[in-house]
Amino acid sequence: MKTFLRLTALVKPYFWWMALAALIGFATTGSGIGLLMTSGYIIAKAALQPPMSALQLGIVGVRFFGLARGALRYAERLLSHDATFRILTKLRLWFYDAIEPLAPARLMHFRSGDLLQRVVDDIQSLENIYTRVLVPPLTALFISALMWFLLGSYSIEASLLILFFHLLAGIGVPLLAMRLSRGVSVGIMKQKTVQQLLSLDLFQGIGELQIYGKLPEHLEAMRTAEADKLRLQRKNALIDGLHESLTGLLMNAAVVAILWALIPKLSTPDMNGISLTIVTLAVMASFEPFLPLPASLKHLEADTHAGERLFEILDAKPETIAPAAPLPFPKDPAIRAENLSFSYPGSPVKTLDSLSFETLPGDHIAIVGPSGAGKSTITALLMRFWNTPEGCLTIGGADIGRFDPEELRRNIALVSQRTYLFAQTIRENLLLARPEATDDELKKALAAAGLARFSSKLDEWTGQHGMKLSGGERQRIAIARMVLQNAPVMILDEATANLDGVTEKEVTETLAALGAGKTMITITHRLKAMDQYDAIVVLDKGKIVEQGSHEKLIQGNGLYRRMWELQHTMEPV
């Protein structure tokens, strides 16, 4: 219930839209009842062969209710769908605004397919809160009150009987359907999530599945998931058919009961054969708004489950938040770490252990070490993806936590070892760095990154995840973004790892020229052109084991020298 109340609170701004649509829905159903009643009146009255003038009221009623029913139905659908789409827009914007501060720290424990299911299907299912959960019970309640008042004018017994059968159709049948279908809607949603995960794994890892002979096993898991979903959907369809049959049975029982209550009154002035016909048709039509009620409870279960999955993410506290009074980014971005330690949540091992180093404005430093030494974690802390719980990390003398994360990231250009390209054109992928950039600026950035040949291909589609481009081309697109961003601090996290030797040398020289006058931190395990750096920090198992210039470190007998000799001895002549 708590989750449902939280979800309904999100659509509170659209209360009057929903109330108006519910009122029009009631008028639409009422027009359908009126149409049957006036039609029955004409047929029954005409059987007595009265003068045409005696049928005029019924004829006008049929025309009025017939036209009104169509017009009101259109207005109701227009209003309800407009309100629904507005609600969905609000929900999606609300979710994206809430989830963005959580990335990447709070989302690292979720699989991408599961996140996609929550972002797309779970939010989409919440549209049912309005159209299939909130409105149908209100419409049924209004119709039940209308019929109670209508039949009460003929017989108290008849009004109580229609109220009894409406209660059975509006409460008894939905509760029975909910009991029989408990877990079915949620099970279908879970199977869809499983299918999403399996499908994503198939598309992204089909090569590995084929190499290790696991493709048949994976396909069998997909077939099993589809079979389980179809089984639940068949059960759901059977329950739908059952509650529709029960509602029809109650409608027929109500007609018989009302006839039993009213037939004895045929001899009274208040009741005649025509009135009995009209009332009978009205009773039959009054059960129409009760048909969706069992589905409302099933949608309520599914929507509550979807809401719980969404709130599971959104209730997480962001790892980093903007301070109440953030500092502007300093003009002299000197970076200093002092006794900096960090451990990832759930890990007893320190990824960084008491690190201390410093870069002056305009310095170019390299952070090197074997894989797993903690090099990329330094990047994550500098970009404020994570907080710094132990030690101190400052920029321009101010603690990094005093900067707005967004402002900080606008002033630090990052080329990571994993470049992500959206399934858009080269132009749109570049404009992420600076949306107002002109075509000439885009071409200059491509040329600086060694992709001058792409200058005439700005509108070429890059493919899903940029798969139409090679790994080296994707990396150079990222470098072109960095050129466009023109930030005072540059971080290159294995930026040239996917380039061949000749291109790597060209790009390295270009980056060195572009970084003139800027603070540049290069994270790498490939020791190339190391004499260009003002200082080198050597990491091993989260600790700084050496630091100094290339000349100083190469003369020692530490890890740096061993890495240098190993790499350069293995290089082909």
Side-chain angles (χ1 to χ4, degrees):
M1 181 57 69
K2 181 181 178 182
T3 301
F4 176 71
L5 293 176
R6 291 181 68 181
L7 291 173
T8 53
L10 294 172
V11 300
K12 188 177 180 180
Y14 303 98
F15 170 79
W16 292 111
W17 281 93
M18 294 187 293
L20 179 60
L23 183 61
I24 295 177
F26 162 67
T28 303
T29 306
S31 295
I33 295 174
L35 180 60
L36 277 177
M37 291 175 67
T38 51
S39 300
Y41 171 81
I42 291 176
I43 294 171
K45 190 75 172 178
L48 301 177
Q49 297 182 348
M52 182 60 69
S53 59
L55 299 177
Q56 288 301 318
L57 180 62
I59 293 171
V60 172
V62 168
R63 289 176 178 175
F64 172 77
F65 287 120
L67 292 173
R69 187 170 185 266
L72 289 171
R73 179 68 71 188
Y74 177 80
E76 185 266 334
R77 292 295 174 89
L78 183 65
L79 279 174
S80 63
H81 282 75
D82 181 73
T84 298
F85 290 138
R86 289 174 185 270
I87 290 170
L88 279 179
T89 300
K90 177 181 175 63
L91 287 173
R92 286 197 173 98
L93 292 176
W94 158 75
F95 186 76
Y96 293 144
D97 288 343
I99 201 174
E100 190 269 339
L102 301 179
R106 298 303 186 197
L107 302 182
M108 63 184 299
H109 301 297
F110 294 94
R111 296 176 65 179
S112 56
D114 185 32
L115 283 174
L116 180 63
Q117 180 76 14
R118 299 182 193 223
V119 170
V120 179
D121 290 347
D122 286 353
I123 290 182
Q124 185 70 30
S125 71
L126 294 183
E127 69 173 331
N128 297 322
I129 287 181
Y130 167 65
T131 55
R132 299 182 180 179
V133 175
L134 296 179
V135 172
L138 291 176
T139 303
L141 180 63
F142 293 154
I143 291 297
S144 184
L146 174 65
M147 291 302 299
W148 179 83
F149 177 78
L150 178 64
L151 293 182
S153 63
Y154 292 105
S155 166
I156 296 297
E157 293 85 352
S159 65
L160 292 176
L161 282 171
I162 194 64
L163 185 60
F164 171 73
F165 283 104
H166 279 176
L167 286 174
L168 287 178
I171 298 178
V173 174
L175 289 178
L176 176 62
M178 183 181 71
R179 182 176 181 83
L180 293 176
S181 63
R182 181 167 294 168
V184 174
S185 298
V186 173
I188 292 174
M189 294 178 68
K190 289 181 177 179
Q191 288 303 317
K192 286 183 177 179
T193 301
V194 171
Q195 286 183 307
Q196 192 98 29
L197 296 172
L198 291 172
S199 298
L200 197 60
D201 287 344
L202 175 66
F203 289 126
Q204 293 183 345
I206 189 170
E208 286 76 9
L209 290 171
Q210 288 177 324
I211 290 173
Y212 293 102
K214 294 293 184 179
L215 184 57
E217 181 180 329
H218 192 84
L219 293 176
E220 181 59 31
M222 294 181 70
R223 282 190 287 267
T224 300
E226 177 67 16
D228 291 341
K229 187 186 75 172
L230 289 175
R231 176 179 54 80
L232 292 172
Q233 288 176 334
R234 280 194 295 268
K235 182 178 180 180
N236 194 49
L238 287 173
I239 295 171
D240 287 342
L242 175 63
H243 77 67
E244 289 179 7
S245 301
L246 287 176
T247 303
L249 183 62
L250 287 173
M251 178 195 71
N252 292 324
V255 169
V256 172
I258 297 300
L259 288 174
W260 173 80
L262 294 181
I263 285 176
K265 296 182 180 294
L266 282 175
S267 58
T268 65
D270 296 333
M271 179 62 64
N272 55 41
I274 295 176
S275 299
L276 187 62
T277 301
I278 294 172
V279 168
T280 303
L281 292 174
V283 170
M284 295 175 65
S286 70
F287 279 82
E288 179 186 351
F290 291 88
L291 287 172
L293 295 187
S296 295
L297 289 182
K298 290 197 299 181
H299 286 299
L300 176 60
E301 180 188 20
D303 294 343
T304 303
H305 176 70
E308 289 172 350
R309 282 166 49 83
L310 294 176
F311 288 129
E312 179 186 356
I313 297 176
L314 301 180
D315 286 343
K317 183 180 179 181
E319 174 67 20
T320 59
I321 58 175
L327 297 177
F329 195 80
K331 294 182 179 179
D332 56 338
I335 299 173
R336 183 183 181 190
E338 186 174 355
N339 296 321
L340 182 63
S341 298
F342 179 78
S343 298
Y344 286 101
S347 174
V349 180
K350 287 188 175 182
T351 307
L352 300 178
D353 189 1
S354 301
L355 264 64
S356 296
F357 65 90
E358 183 176 8
T359 67
L360 298 176
D363 275 1
H364 290 191
I365 73 166
I367 300 177
V368 303
S371 297
K375 304 186 296 296
S376 295
T377 303
I378 296 176
T379 300
L381 295 179
L382 284 171
M383 300 299 291
R384 279 211 73 193
F385 293 150
W386 299 91
N387 285 319
T388 53
E390 297 182 49
C392 183
L393 182 61
T394 63
I395 299 180
D399 187 87
I400 196 170
R402 300 186 64 187
F403 300 106
D404 186 324
E406 295 299 322
E407 177 68 15
L408 184 74
R409 293 160 195 162
R410 279 193 292 269
N411 286 278
I412 300 179
L414 170 66
V415 179
S416 66
Q417 55 187 317
R418 295 178 59 187
T419 298
Y420 187 89
L421 295 185
F422 291 91
Q424 299 291 343
T425 62
I426 293 175
R427 181 197 309 277
E428 290 168 319
N429 275 285
L430 290 175
L431 290 177
L432 288 174
R434 188 149 58 92
E436 70 278 7
T438 64
D439 281 5
D440 287 340
E441 290 172 326
L442 298 181
K443 292 175 182 179
K444 288 179 181 178
L446 287 171
L451 290 176
R453 66 184 184 281
F454 278 24
S455 297
S456 60
K457 301 178 181 179
L458 287 175
D459 293 315
E460 184 175 298
W461 190 55
T462 62
Q464 187 71 21
H465 302 297
M467 295 307 293
K468 287 186 68 177
L469 306 178
S470 68
E473 288 171 337
R474 291 195 295 272
Q475 202 76 346
R476 279 178 278 184
I477 291 286
I479 294 172
R481 284 177 183 165
M482 184 194 66
V483 174
L484 285 169
Q485 189 174 346
N486 194 27
V489 178
M490 301 164 58
I491 299 179
L492 309 175
D493 189 353
E494 304 287 1
T496 60
N498 295 319
L499 305 180
D500 59 83
V502 175
T503 306
E504 179 183 13
K505 184 176 184 234
E506 294 174 352
V507 172
T508 300
E509 292 173 352
T510 300
L511 290 173
L514 292 171
K518 300 180 180 181
T519 302
M520 186 167 73
I521 299 176
T522 301
I523 295 174
T524 182
H525 66 277
R526 299 172 65 174
L527 307 185
K528 297 287 186 71
M530 301 305 293
D531 54 349
Q532 68 176 326
Y533 295 104
D534 299 303
I536 300 170
V537 177
V538 186
L539 285 184
D540 188 26
K541 297 179 181 178
K543 295 183 178 181
I544 295 178
V545 293
E546 296 177 279
Q547 58 180 314
S549 65
H550 170 70
E551 291 77 11
K552 175 184 174 182
L553 295 176
I554 202 68
Q555 291 174 4
N557 193 30
L559 176 62
Y560 180 83
R561 179 173 177 175
R562 294 197 299 274
M563 290 176 62
W564 175 271
E565 291 177 346
L566 179 64
Q567 292 186 25
H568 288 267
T569 301
M570 294 177 62
E571 287 183 350
V573 181

